Amino acid sequence: MSSAHDRVELRAAVLDYGDRLGWSTPQTIHFTEALTGCHWQRCRAPEFLAVLDEYLMILDVMAAKRHRHGEPQGGDDALPA
């Protein structure tokens, strides 16, 4: 894969996971910029990968909370692993 293709794929994944978390596109972009310190248009694979790693941490916390409250894991709106 080319780096331009990687960037497009990773940017789409960042936006998709932000949407799955209930965030609007502007909220996802703001989160990305705040986390990486990089303007959205200048983000490359390392920045997008950092955001995806952060999403995994958020999802782990959400899963742990569901587990503590006895809620089932997964379900229709569960995010893929």
Side-chain angles (χ1 to χ4, degrees):
M1 247 192 288
S2 71
S3 63
H5 183 70
D6 290 347
R7 182 175 177 256
V8 168
E9 293 290 320
L10 290 168
R11 181 176 57 204
V14 165
L15 291 171
D16 180 55
Y17 274 83
D19 182 60
R20 291 171 186 238
L21 287 168
W23 300 346
S24 67
T25 296
Q27 289 172 317
T28 301
I29 291 170
H30 180 76
F31 177 79
T32 300
E33 291 175 339
L35 180 70
T36 65
C38 186
H39 188 276
W40 177 257
Q41 296 300 323
R42 294 188 179 164
C43 287
R44 300 290 182 253
E47 289 82 20
F48 290 132
L49 288 170
V51 174
L52 292 171
D53 283 344
E54 194 71 20
Y55 284 165
L56 290 176
M57 287 188 270
I58 292 168
L59 294 171
D60 285 346
V61 169
M62 291 170 67
K65 182 178 179 181
R66 283 192 304 270
H67 180 73
R68 282 193 310 272
H69 292 283
E71 297 175 24
Q73 299 294 312
D76 289 342
D77 23 314
L79 296 168

